[in-house]
Amino acid sequence: MAKNLVIVESPAKAKTLKKFLGNTFKIEASVGHVRDLPKSELGIDIENDFEPKYITIRGKGDILSKLRKEVKVSENIYLATDPDREGEAISWHLMHALKLTDVSDKGKKVKRITFNEITKNAVKKSIKEAREIDMGLVNAQQARRELDRIVGYKISPLLWKKVKKGLSAGRVQSVALKMICDREDEIENFHSEEYWSIDVELSGAQKQTKGGKDSLIARLTGHEIHSREEADSIISDINKNKFLVSEVKKGSRTKKSLPPFITSTLQQEASKILGFATHKTMSLAQQLYEGIDVKGEGTIGLVTYTRTDSTRISDEAFLDVKAFITNRFGEEYANQIKSEFKARARAQDAHEAIRPTYSEFTPEKLKES
């Protein structure tokens, strides 16, 4: 019988972990949150230090019963929910729902583990570095959840009375609406002005080539042109003169690679290139993180954790990609030094950027899977 119980959020992740941890570990899934504020009431005692009232989410009774049975027969319990505030809070709720504080008194060890990527090395390392639950992260999530509830339950009824039945307000919606209104005011108050520009194509400005003469485009500067009449007058003056190209300077520019994906840039590119809605992008990214059945390899997590604001990648990942590029394309295409990108203001930098976990699994290899 397995001595170690690992509780994750997703059944898909459980399948991937089983491959790495072997028979001494039993992996079970909570399938997301197990406790929440009640829907029928505010569920927050505002007069008593905003004390929340949590209840078991409907439909989670059977899952909790199964987890309690596994807890009884396990020596070590590892809470392996996602490595963010939400995941930390789910682990804390599991501690209470499964009464894990009681079992730790009976000699059982209850620990929190996190991993940014579901690979053998990362998972085994997380077991060695197991820790206590971070109450700072838990309280951050609770504050956000309570703010959602207070704003939503207090403002939504006002909207039903004054605007339209069924509308909802919330912590994010209310701020976003204010930003949209401010932007709309700017657009309405904007006074447009007419501007013209004049470009001249200078033929034969460079050496002749096999395809004929080269040309340069020169733009007139130093004039603000506000009408067609002004533009025509200047063109008339220009046409009375000859042009002399006294010098042509040629230079080269180095184009650096773009930073690795963070959550927002991943969503932007998926929208721009693939036409994906944000929900679709994050749903697919989560599946790739939790694990995909790869032909001949089993279930493998293909990307790192997909909720991050950091462009940082590990030294191990850099060396892996450097070796891949050198072998496939040649040494001249591989950076010898890892690129460092400046973190954005207020970035939490809790996790690495979003990147492939294994460079050898190219799109060609994964196409059938």
Side-chain angles (χ1 to χ4, degrees):
M1 188 176 288
K3 293 181 179 180
N4 306 294
L5 173 65
V6 178
I7 304 176
V8 295
E9 287 182 46
S10 159
K13 195 190 287 186
K15 191 177 176 184
T16 313
L17 288 177
K18 182 66 182 169
K19 180 181 172 185
F20 301 136
L21 294 175
N23 295 329
T24 59
F25 285 82
K26 182 76 181 282
I27 295 103
E28 295 290 347
S30 70
V31 195
H33 277 277
V34 292
R35 299 198 311 169
D36 196 9
L37 301 170
K39 289 184 178 181
S40 58
E41 58 182 288
L42 184 63
I44 300 164
D45 189 348
I46 294 174
E47 302 301 323
N48 185 25
D49 203 23
F50 296 89
E51 185 68 29
K53 173 187 174 183
Y54 291 114
I55 60 168
T56 301
I57 295 171
R58 184 176 291 177
K60 290 299 175 84
D62 290 344
I63 291 171
L64 288 173
S65 294
K66 184 179 180 183
L67 290 174
R68 286 187 190 107
K69 287 177 185 174
E70 295 296 340
V71 166
K72 281 183 181 178
V73 296
S74 302
E75 291 179 13
N76 302 304
I77 297 102
Y78 297 99
L79 301 170
T81 49
D82 284 352
D84 56 12
R85 289 176 300 187
E86 201 81 16
E88 203 75 19
I90 292 173
S91 284
W92 180 75
H93 283 297
L94 284 166
M95 284 283 291
H96 288 272
L98 301 175
K99 295 184 170 57
L100 295 181
T101 48
D102 297 342
V103 300
S104 57
D105 294 337
K106 298 172 184 173
K108 293 177 186 281
K109 290 182 181 177
V110 181
K111 292 289 183 182
R112 169 84 168 116
I113 59 170
T114 59
F115 28 81
N116 186 46
E117 58 184 67
I118 305 178
T119 59
K120 188 172 185 177
N121 288 344
V123 172
K124 296 222 164 175
K125 185 182 177 188
S126 74
I127 298 284
K128 288 179 185 175
E129 297 175 354
R131 58 171 174 81
E132 302 299 318
I133 285 178
D134 185 337
M135 286 309 299
L137 293 176
V138 173
N139 288 331
Q141 191 277 338
Q142 285 196 100
R144 191 178 74 170
R145 184 72 188 97
E146 289 194 21
L147 202 54
D148 273 336
R149 177 57 65 97
I150 292 167
V151 175
Y153 275 46
K154 295 287 187 183
I155 299 179
S156 295
L158 182 66
L159 287 178
W160 302 341
K161 284 181 187 176
K162 302 293 183 183
V163 185
K164 185 184 176 185
K165 190 76 176 170
L167 291 175
S168 65
R171 172 181 55 88
V172 175
Q173 289 165 297
S174 302
V175 179
L177 181 61
K178 175 71 166 66
M179 292 169 72
I180 291 166
C181 290
D182 288 347
R183 183 70 177 133
E184 192 64 27
D185 287 341
E186 282 182 36
I187 293 167
E188 286 185 3
N189 295 328
F190 178 76
H191 298 290
S192 60
E193 286 187 66
E194 185 177 344
Y195 283 96
W196 286 71
S197 60
I198 296 174
D199 291 347
V200 180
E201 185 178 358
L202 304 173
S203 299
Q206 300 183 56
K207 290 180 182 178
Q208 289 192 6
T209 62
K210 289 181 181 179
K213 293 179 180 178
D214 287 340
S215 64
L216 287 174
I217 301 294
R219 171 156 289 186
L220 179 68
T221 60
H223 289 73
E224 278 196 4
I225 308 167
H226 295 283
S227 69
R228 176 65 184 259
E229 289 74 24
E230 281 185 66
D232 286 341
S233 174
I234 292 169
I235 289 169
S236 178
D237 290 340
I238 287 172
N239 285 332
K240 294 172 185 174
N241 297 282
K242 287 185 177 180
F243 287 87
L244 174 65
V245 178
S246 59
E247 186 181 4
V248 176
K249 287 184 179 177
K250 287 187 176 181
S252 61
R253 286 185 296 178
T254 301
K255 187 177 181 182
K256 292 185 177 179
S257 56
L258 294 170
F261 279 140
I262 59 176
T263 305
S264 58
T265 53
L266 174 72
Q267 292 168 351
Q268 289 161 21
E269 289 298 296
S271 173
K272 188 165 68 178
I273 296 172
L274 303 170
F276 285 179
T278 301
H279 175 74
K280 181 174 183 178
T281 300
M282 296 313 293
S283 175
L284 292 171
Q286 183 72 12
Q287 288 175 42
L288 292 172
Y289 165 66
E290 290 176 351
I292 298 291
D293 282 326
V294 177
K295 194 173 181 181
E297 299 285 346
T299 307
I300 293 175
L302 293 173
V303 300
T304 51
Y305 191 56
T306 56
R307 296 190 182 278
T308 180
D309 57 10
S310 173
T311 53
R312 170 174 52 83
I313 66 165
S314 68
D315 292 338
E316 184 184 356
F318 167 69
L319 293 173
D320 179 44
V321 173
K322 180 184 169 187
F324 172 78
I325 292 171
T326 301
N327 294 334
R328 182 158 178 171
F329 302 106
E331 195 172 348
E332 66 270 30
Y333 294 102
N335 276 359
Q336 299 307 306
I337 300 171
K338 186 170 72 170
S339 298
E340 302 286 351
F341 299 91
K342 190 176 178 182
R344 296 188 304 176
R346 296 197 299 276
Q348 294 178 47
D349 197 38
H351 314 295
E352 279 189 72
I354 304 168
R355 59 166 177 79
T357 50
Y358 303 97
S359 60
E360 68 265 27
F361 288 120
T362 60
E364 297 82 22
K365 283 187 180 180
L366 296 172
K367 195 170 184 180
E368 289 182 39
S369 304

Coordinates of all heavy atoms in Angstrom, one line a residue, residues 317-350:
A317 N 17.2 25.4 -18.1 CA 16.4 25.5 -19.3 C 17.2 26.2 -20.4 O 17.1 25.8 -21.6 CB 15.1 26.3 -19.0
F318 N 17.9 27.2 -20.0 CA 18.8 27.9 -21.0 C 19.8 27.0 -21.7 O 19.9 27.0 -22.9 CB 19.5 29.1 -20.3 CG 20.6 29.7 -21.2 CD1 20.3 30.4 -22.4 CD2 21.9 29.5 -20.9 CE1 21.3 30.9 -23.2 CE2 22.9 30.0 -21.7 CZ 22.6 30.7 -22.8
L319 N 20.5 26.2 -20.8 CA 21.5 25.3 -21.4 C 20.8 24.2 -22.3 O 21.4 23.8 -23.3 CB 22.2 24.6 -20.2 CG 23.1 25.6 -19.4 CD1 23.7 24.8 -18.2 CD2 24.2 26.2 -20.2
D320 N 19.6 23.8 -21.9 CA 18.9 22.8 -22.7 C 18.6 23.4 -24.1 O 18.8 22.7 -25.1 CB 17.6 22.4 -22.0 CG 16.8 21.4 -22.7 OD1 17.3 20.5 -23.3 OD2 15.5 21.6 -22.8
V321 N 18.0 24.6 -24.1 CA 17.7 25.2 -25.4 C 18.9 25.6 -26.2 O 18.9 25.4 -27.5 CB 16.8 26.5 -25.2 CG1 16.6 27.2 -26.4 CG2 15.5 26.1 -24.5
K322 N 20.0 26.0 -25.6 CA 21.2 26.3 -26.2 C 21.8 25.1 -27.0 O 22.2 25.2 -28.1 CB 22.2 26.9 -25.2 CG 23.6 27.2 -25.8 CD 24.5 27.7 -24.7 CE 26.0 27.8 -25.2 NZ 26.9 28.0 -24.2
A323 N 21.8 24.0 -26.3 CA 22.2 22.7 -26.9 C 21.4 22.3 -28.1 O 21.9 21.9 -29.1 CB 22.3 21.6 -25.8
F324 N 20.0 22.5 -27.9 CA 19.1 22.1 -29.0 C 19.4 23.0 -30.2 O 19.4 22.4 -31.3 CB 17.7 22.3 -28.5 CG 16.6 22.1 -29.6 CD1 16.2 20.9 -30.0 CD2 16.0 23.3 -30.1 CE1 15.3 20.7 -31.0 CE2 15.1 23.1 -31.1 CZ 14.7 21.9 -31.6
I325 N 19.5 24.3 -30.1 CA 19.7 25.2 -31.2 C 21.1 24.9 -31.9 O 21.2 24.9 -33.1 CB 19.6 26.7 -30.7 CG1 18.2 27.0 -30.3 CG2 20.1 27.6 -31.8 CD1 18.0 28.3 -29.7
T326 N 22.1 24.7 -31.0 CA 23.4 24.4 -31.6 C 23.4 23.1 -32.4 O 23.9 23.1 -33.5 CB 24.4 24.2 -30.4 OG1 24.5 25.4 -29.6 CG2 25.8 23.9 -30.9
N327 N 22.8 22.1 -31.9 CA 22.7 20.8 -32.6 C 21.9 20.8 -33.9 O 22.2 20.2 -34.9 CB 22.2 19.7 -31.7 CG 23.1 19.4 -30.6 OD1 24.3 19.6 -30.7 ND2 22.6 18.9 -29.4
R328 N 20.8 21.6 -33.8 CA 19.8 21.6 -34.9 C 20.2 22.6 -36.0 O 20.0 22.4 -37.2 CB 18.4 21.8 -34.4 CG 17.4 21.8 -35.5 CD 16.0 21.5 -35.0 NE 15.0 21.5 -36.0 CZ 13.8 21.1 -35.9 NH1 13.4 20.6 -34.8 NH2 12.9 21.2 -36.9
F329 N 20.6 23.8 -35.6 CA 20.8 24.9 -36.5 C 22.3 25.4 -36.7 O 22.7 26.0 -37.7 CB 20.0 26.1 -36.1 CG 18.5 25.8 -36.0 CD1 17.9 25.7 -34.8 CD2 17.7 25.7 -37.2 CE1 16.6 25.5 -34.7 CE2 16.4 25.4 -37.0 CZ 15.8 25.3 -35.8
G330 N 23.1 25.1 -35.7 CA 24.5 25.5 -35.7 C 24.8 26.5 -34.6 O 24.0 27.2 -34.1
E331 N 26.1 26.5 -34.2 CA 26.5 27.2 -33.0 C 26.3 28.7 -33.2 O 26.1 29.4 -32.2 CB 28.0 26.9 -32.7 CG 28.5 27.4 -31.3 CD 29.9 26.9 -31.0 OE1 30.4 26.0 -31.7 OE2 30.4 27.4 -30.0
E332 N 26.4 29.2 -34.4 CA 26.3 30.7 -34.6 C 24.9 31.2 -34.3 O 24.7 32.4 -34.1 CB 26.7 31.0 -36.1 CG 25.8 30.5 -37.2 CD 26.2 29.1 -37.7 OE1 26.8 28.4 -36.9 OE2 25.9 28.9 -38.9
Y333 N 23.9 30.3 -34.2 CA 22.6 30.7 -33.9 C 22.2 30.7 -32.5 O 21.1 31.1 -32.1 CB 21.5 29.9 -34.7 CG 21.6 30.1 -36.2 CD1 22.3 29.2 -37.0 CD2 21.1 31.2 -36.8 CE1 22.4 29.4 -38.4 CE2 21.2 31.4 -38.2 CZ 21.9 30.5 -39.0 OH 22.0 30.7 -40.3
A334 N 23.1 30.2 -31.7 CA 22.8 30.0 -30.2 C 23.4 31.1 -29.4 O 24.6 31.3 -29.5 CB 23.3 28.6 -29.7
N335 N 22.7 31.7 -28.5 CA 23.2 32.7 -27.6 C 24.2 32.0 -26.6 O 23.9 30.9 -26.1 CB 22.1 33.3 -26.7 CG 21.4 34.5 -27.4 OD1 21.8 34.8 -28.5 ND2 20.5 35.1 -26.8
Q336 N 25.3 32.6 -26.4 CA 26.3 32.0 -25.5 C 26.0 32.4 -24.1 O 26.4 31.8 -23.1 CB 27.7 32.4 -25.9 CG 28.1 31.9 -27.3 CD 27.9 30.4 -27.5 OE1 28.4 29.6 -26.7 NE2 27.2 30.0 -28.5
I337 N 25.4 33.6 -24.0 CA 25.0 34.1 -22.6 C 23.5 34.2 -22.6 O 22.8 34.7 -23.5 CB 25.6 35.5 -22.4 CG1 27.2 35.4 -22.5 CG2 25.2 36.1 -21.1 CD1 27.9 36.7 -22.5
K338 N 22.9 33.9 -21.4 CA 21.5 33.9 -21.3 C 21.0 35.4 -21.3 O 21.5 36.2 -20.6 CB 21.1 33.3 -19.9 CG 19.6 33.2 -19.7 CD 19.2 32.3 -18.5 CE 19.5 33.0 -17.2 NZ 19.0 32.2 -16.1
S339 N 20.0 35.7 -22.1 CA 19.4 37.0 -22.1 C 18.6 37.3 -20.8 O 17.9 36.5 -20.3 CB 18.4 37.1 -23.3 OG 19.1 36.9 -24.5
E340 N 18.8 38.5 -20.3 CA 18.1 38.9 -19.1 C 17.2 40.1 -19.5 O 17.6 41.0 -20.2 CB 19.1 39.4 -18.0 CG 20.1 38.4 -17.6 CD 19.5 37.3 -16.7 OE1 18.3 37.4 -16.3 OE2 20.2 36.3 -16.5
F341 N 15.9 40.0 -19.1 CA 14.9 41.0 -19.4 C 14.5 41.7 -18.1 O 14.3 41.1 -17.1 CB 13.7 40.4 -20.2 CG 14.1 39.8 -21.5 CD1 14.4 38.4 -21.5 CD2 14.2 40.5 -22.6 CE1 14.8 37.8 -22.7 CE2 14.5 39.9 -23.8 CZ 14.8 38.6 -23.9
K342 N 14.4 43.0 -18.2 CA 14.0 43.8 -17.1 C 12.6 43.5 -16.7 O 11.6 43.5 -17.5 CB 14.1 45.3 -17.4 CG 14.0 46.2 -16.1 CD 14.2 47.6 -16.5 CE 14.0 48.5 -15.3 NZ 14.2 50.0 -15.6
A343 N 12.4 43.2 -15.4 CA 11.0 42.9 -14.9 C 10.2 44.1 -14.9 O 10.6 45.2 -14.6 CB 11.1 42.3 -13.5
R344 N 8.9 43.9 -15.2 CA 8.0 45.1 -15.1 C 7.7 45.5 -13.7 O 7.9 44.8 -12.8 CB 6.6 44.7 -15.7 CG 6.7 44.3 -17.2 CD 5.3 44.1 -17.8 NE 4.6 43.1 -17.1 CZ 3.3 42.8 -17.4 NH1 2.7 43.5 -18.4 NH2 2.6 41.9 -16.8
A345 N 7.4 46.8 -13.6 CA 7.1 47.3 -12.2 C 6.0 46.5 -11.6 O 5.0 46.1 -12.2 CB 6.7 48.8 -12.4
R346 N 6.1 46.2 -10.3 CA 5.2 45.5 -9.5 C 5.0 44.0 -9.9 O 4.1 43.3 -9.5 CB 3.8 46.1 -9.5 CG 3.8 47.5 -8.9 CD 2.4 48.0 -8.5 NE 1.5 48.0 -9.6 CZ 1.4 49.1 -10.4 NH1 2.2 50.2 -10.2 NH2 0.6 49.1 -11.4
A347 N 5.9 43.5 -10.8 CA 5.9 42.1 -11.1 C 6.2 41.2 -9.9 O 7.2 41.6 -9.1 CB 6.9 41.8 -12.2
Q348 N 5.5 40.2 -9.6 CA 5.7 39.3 -8.5 C 6.9 38.4 -8.7 O 7.6 38.0 -7.7 CB 4.5 38.5 -8.1 CG 3.3 39.4 -7.7 CD 2.1 38.5 -7.4 OE1 2.1 37.5 -6.8 NE2 0.9 39.0 -8.0
D349 N 7.2 38.0 -10.0 CA 8.3 37.2 -10.3 C 8.4 35.9 -9.5 O 9.4 35.4 -9.1 CB 9.6 38.0 -10.1 CG 10.8 37.4 -10.8 OD1 10.6 36.9 -11.9 OD2 11.9 37.4 -10.2
A350 N 7.2 35.3 -9.3 CA 7.1 34.1 -8.5 C 7.5 32.9 -9.2 O 8.0 31.9 -8.7 CB 5.7 33.9 -7.9

